[in-house]
Amino acid sequence: MMRKMWVWILVTISLVWVNDWYGGCYGCLEEERISLLEIKASFDPFCMDSGVLRDWVDNKEKFGNCCEWPGIQCDESTKRVTQISFTDPNPYEPYCSRGWILNASLFLPFQELQTLDLRRTGLVDCFKNEGFEVLSSTLKKLEVLDLSDNLFYNRPLSLNGLSSLKSLDLSTNGLTESGFEVMSSNLRKLEHLDLSYNEFNDRILSCLSRFSSLKSLNLSGNYLLSGSTDISGKVVNLSHEN
């Protein structure tokens, strides 16, 4: 009887270990692992073989737990992904500039995502009806979005569904007022906004008046008149970060 009990305990421990190794209850969620691989596949092949994406591999035996992939962080208790970064920390990694068009619906499974870093990914646009607005009912915890150093130029990019955002970086994208105006009407919790090194002029100031929660604003490197202005009751320097 005792021998059978020990056999049962060993089998149970083995099953738990296998579940952990293959990304079950103790590893990342399978639906999130699959989504990360689908996101990787949406990149240009040149980009898929560079940066952090190089180590996002569909090999359950060796790399089943996506919480251990570079650029990914998970909640310790729920094992859900809380942070996704596509940016390689290696400064010598080649810049991915092949013109990535985003299908934002691929991020729908990440219900606890708090930080999304898409800087320097060669992002130029979103597929029609598959922009960030499709995430409004799912990504209710997303607070940090970094889209800096991409290739939007004056393409309209709607972020209106991401009402939980507190920090948004759109620097170095060639944006003008018309491209920015459509993306900013519902970001009432936004506290930190970086619009530096775009192509804004003084007309951007009327768009910024709706951000009542702003604590910091960077407008350096644009075509604004020097000096300062009052935005939502705060005096903002037009040349440097406040």
Side-chain angles (χ1 to χ4, degrees):
M1 184 71 178
M2 182 67 70
R3 183 177 180 181
K4 288 183 178 180
M5 181 179 295
W6 276 110
V7 170
W8 180 86
I9 292 173
L10 289 173
V11 170
T12 302
I13 293 173
S14 298
L15 288 174
V16 169
W17 180 86
V18 169
N19 203 30
D20 184 14
W21 184 258
Y22 284 92
C25 296
Y26 298 91
C28 69
L29 272 66
E30 179 68 3
E31 62 174 343
E32 295 188 337
R33 187 188 72 87
I34 292 173
S35 291
L36 288 171
L37 292 172
E38 290 177 343
I39 293 169
K40 174 181 177 178
S42 71
F43 277 83
D44 183 280
F46 171 82
C47 304
M48 289 169 56
D49 294 330
S50 64
V52 298
L53 295 178
R54 185 190 299 113
D55 296 318
W56 294 13
V57 181
D58 189 12
N59 185 333
K60 283 189 176 182
E61 184 176 347
K62 293 184 177 180
F63 307 105
N65 186 1
C66 64
C67 293
E68 298 178 354
W69 290 356
I72 304 299
Q73 291 185 17
C74 297
D75 182 271
E76 291 185 1
S77 58
T78 65
K79 303 304 176 185
R80 281 194 169 274
V81 172
T82 59
Q83 178 173 323
I84 302 175
S85 175
F86 297 89
T87 305
D88 196 298
N90 181 3
Y92 301 104
E93 187 68 33
Y95 175 49
C96 183
S97 59
R98 297 298 185 94
W100 182 36
I101 300 179
L102 175 67
N103 179 356
S105 63
L106 293 176
F107 290 94
L108 285 172
F110 303 103
Q111 297 178 11
E112 293 188 19
L113 189 64
Q114 299 171 18
T115 300
L116 178 57
D117 183 354
L118 291 166
R119 56 187 158 139
R120 300 188 82 244
T121 54
L123 185 58
V124 298
D125 204 351
C126 296
F127 283 107
K128 186 178 182 180
N129 300 322
E130 298 293 346
F132 286 102
E133 65 275 4
V134 304
L135 305 176
S136 59
S137 62
T138 304
L139 299 192
K140 296 182 178 181
K141 297 185 178 181
L142 186 65
E143 295 186 350
V144 178
L145 178 60
D146 192 339
L147 297 172
S148 62
D149 207 4
N150 279 300
L151 307 165
F152 292 125
Y153 296 106
N154 207 31
R155 296 178 180 89
L157 179 67
S158 175
L159 303 177
N160 291 334
L162 303 179
S163 58
S164 60
L165 276 187
K166 292 184 177 180
S167 177
L168 174 61
D169 192 339
L170 291 169
S171 60
T172 319
N173 267 295
L175 291 170
T176 65
E177 294 75 21
S178 58
F180 176 78
E181 194 168 5
V182 298
M183 69 174 71
S184 57
S185 62
N186 194 34
L187 305 182
R188 297 186 179 90
K189 295 182 180 180
L190 200 64
E191 297 179 355
H192 308 285
L193 177 61
D194 192 338
L195 298 176
S196 59
Y197 298 97
N198 282 291
E199 299 181 9
F200 298 121
N201 57 37
D202 284 1
R203 286 185 300 221
I204 190 63
L205 301 178
S206 62
C207 300
L208 297 174
S209 61
R210 69 192 68 172
F211 298 121
S212 58
S213 299
L214 271 188
K215 295 179 180 178
S216 68
L217 172 65
N218 192 345
L219 285 168
S220 60
N222 283 284
Y223 300 104
L224 288 81
L225 298 175
S226 59
S228 61
T229 189
D230 187 294
I231 297 177
S232 300
K234 305 177 184 68
V235 176
V236 177
N237 191 304
L238 303 184
S239 301
H240 304 282
E241 188 172 1
N242 188 33

